[in-house]
Amino acid sequence: MLTDVLLIVVSLILLYFGASWLVNGASALATRLGVTPLIIGLTVVAFGTSTPELIVSIQAALQGNGGISIGNVVGSNIFNIGVILGVSALCYPIKVKAEVLRLDVPVMLLTALLFFVFFLNYELSRLEGMVLLIGSIGYTLFNVRKARQANAEVQEEFQEAMPKTSRHWAIEVLFILLGLGVLIFGSDLLVNHAVSLAKRFQVSDVVIGLTIVAAGTSMPELATSVVAAIKKQSDIALGNVVGSNIYNILIILGVSTLITPIKAPDIALVDSLVMVGISVLLIPLVKTGFILKRWEGALLLGVYGAYLFYLLAV
C-alpha cells in the first residue's frame, strides 16, 4: 500500500511539472508566432492546464476504467470551482473585467448540462464525443473573436502573466515534447496505482477518480489561479478555471470517447448534478458586478467539503 501511495505522489508531481513545461513552452511559442496574450491565456493556457486530465482520461478509457476516466473530469470540474476558486477568492477577492468571461460562465454551465444529458445512460458514445469536440472548436473560435475586442487593461493583465520567449524556438518545442512525455508517463503511473489503491481499500475506481485523481490532475489549475489571485490578476484566476472546465468536457471527454466509447455505470447522477449545481453558483457573479468575495470563496470550499463527506460516507 505504501508503494502505491508513494508512486501516486510521484505521479502527481510529474503531472504538475509536465503540464507546466507544456503550457510554458506552448505559450512562449504562440507569443513568438504573434498570438496575443489574451488569446493565449483563454485558449493555450486554459487547455494546457487540462492536459493532465486529458492524458489520464485517455489512459483510463483504454484500460477499461471508465469510472476513473469520467470521474476524473467530473471531479476535476467540481474541485476547480469549489477548491481552486474558493482558495483564490480567500487570497484576494476576484473582480473580473474581461467581458468574454461574463459569457464563458454561462457556456461552462451549458457544457455541464450537455454532459448531464449525454450521460443519463451512464455512457458516452463516439457520436456524442464528436458533438463535444465540435463544440470545443466553436468555443475556441468564439474566444479568439471576443479576445480581439477586449480592452487594453485586460490585454495588459494577460501580457504580464505570459512566459518570456527563449533564445530559440527549438527550446520551446523541446519543452512541449518533454512536457508531453512526462505527462504520459505520469498519467500511466497514476492510473495504475490509483486502481491498485482502490482495490486494497475495497473502494470503487469512481471514488478514486472523483477525489485523488481529480484533485491531482487539477494541480496546474490550482497553481495558476492562486498565483494569479495573489498578484491581483482576477481575470486570469477565473478565466483559467472556467476555460479548463469547458475544455475538460468538450475536448477531454470528446477525444477520449472518440478513441473508445466510455461506460461508467458506477458514476451516480448525484455527481453530475453536483457539477451542474456548483456551476450554477457562479451565475450570480455575472449579475452582481462579477466579484467573488472572500465569504463566497469560503462558501465554495464548504460546498466541496460537503460533497467530499458525501462521497466518503456513501
Side-chain angles (χ1 to χ4, degrees):
M1 184 187 75
L2 183 60
T3 301
D4 286 328
V5 172
L6 288 175
L7 288 175
I8 286 174
V9 171
V10 170
S11 71
L12 295 180
I13 294 172
L14 290 174
L15 289 177
Y16 172 78
F17 281 104
S20 296
W21 293 335
L22 175 64
V23 169
N24 289 338
S27 297
L29 187 61
T31 300
R32 187 185 296 276
L33 295 173
V35 182
T36 66
L38 181 55
I39 292 176
I40 293 172
L42 294 175
T43 55
V44 177
V45 175
F47 173 64
T49 53
S50 290
T51 47
E53 286 94 337
L54 174 63
I55 305 298
V56 167
S57 287
I58 290 175
Q59 290 271 13
L62 288 173
Q63 294 178 20
N65 295 311
I68 287 183
S69 186
I70 298 290
N72 172 38
V73 169
V74 173
S76 290
N77 281 17
I78 297 171
F79 183 89
N80 285 351
I81 297 175
V83 176
I84 296 178
L85 279 187
V87 170
S88 298
L90 286 176
C91 292
Y92 183 77
I94 298 174
K95 182 177 181 179
V96 178
K97 300 175 289 294
E99 183 66 29
V100 64
L101 294 180
R102 298 173 186 265
L103 299 172
D104 280 4
V105 173
V107 170
M108 180 184 69
L109 175 58
L110 287 175
T111 57
L113 287 170
L114 182 62
F115 165 78
F116 179 78
V117 172
F118 281 176
F119 197 64
L120 284 173
N121 60 350
Y122 301 102
E123 62 182 72
L124 291 176
S125 66
R126 281 197 172 94
L127 176 60
E128 290 166 334
M130 179 64 72
V131 171
L132 294 175
L133 205 53
I134 291 173
S136 72
I137 296 172
Y139 168 70
T140 302
L141 293 176
F142 165 80
N143 257 347
V144 169
R145 181 180 177 184
K146 286 295 180 182
R148 289 172 177 166
Q149 303 169 4
N151 60 54
E153 186 180 2
V154 174
Q155 295 280 5
E156 184 179 351
E157 180 183 332
F158 277 83
Q159 175 72 57
E160 293 173 356
M162 284 298 106
K164 304 297 181 184
T165 55
S166 59
R167 287 176 294 179
H168 195 279
W169 61 265
I171 297 175
E172 287 142 15
V173 172
L174 180 63
F175 269 102
I176 292 172
L177 295 176
L178 181 63
L180 281 173
V182 171
L183 280 170
I184 292 171
F185 178 74
S187 65
D188 186 56
L189 202 64
L190 176 60
V191 171
N192 289 336
H193 291 280
V195 171
S196 175
L197 193 65
K199 290 178 179 177
R200 288 180 184 277
F201 280 97
Q202 296 184 329
V203 298
S204 69
D205 295 350
V206 171
V207 173
I208 296 294
L210 288 166
T211 53
I212 296 175
V213 175
T217 55
S218 290
M219 287 302 105
E221 287 97 331
L222 177 62
T224 301
S225 289
V226 170
V227 169
I230 293 172
K231 292 181 178 179
K232 301 181 182 179
Q233 297 170 330
S234 298
D235 294 282
I236 296 174
L238 181 63
N240 174 56
V241 166
V242 173
S244 292
N245 275 20
I246 294 171
Y247 280 128
N248 280 353
I249 292 175
L250 296 182
I251 290 187
I252 294 173
L253 289 183
V255 171
S256 300
T257 307
L258 280 178
I259 293 174
T260 177
I262 302 174
K263 294 183 179 180
D266 292 334
I267 294 279
L269 290 179
V270 171
D271 300 312
S272 301
L273 284 172
V274 170
M275 180 178 69
V276 172
I278 203 166
S279 300
V280 170
L281 281 179
L282 290 183
I283 295 296
L285 300 180
V286 182
K287 299 180 180 179
T288 56
F290 227 28
I291 301 175
L292 184 61
K293 301 175 183 176
R294 283 191 171 93
W295 72 265
E296 292 171 319
L299 175 64
L300 290 175
L301 280 170
V303 170
Y304 185 80
Y307 173 65
L308 201 60
F309 177 78
Y310 159 78
L311 280 179
L312 298 175
V314 171

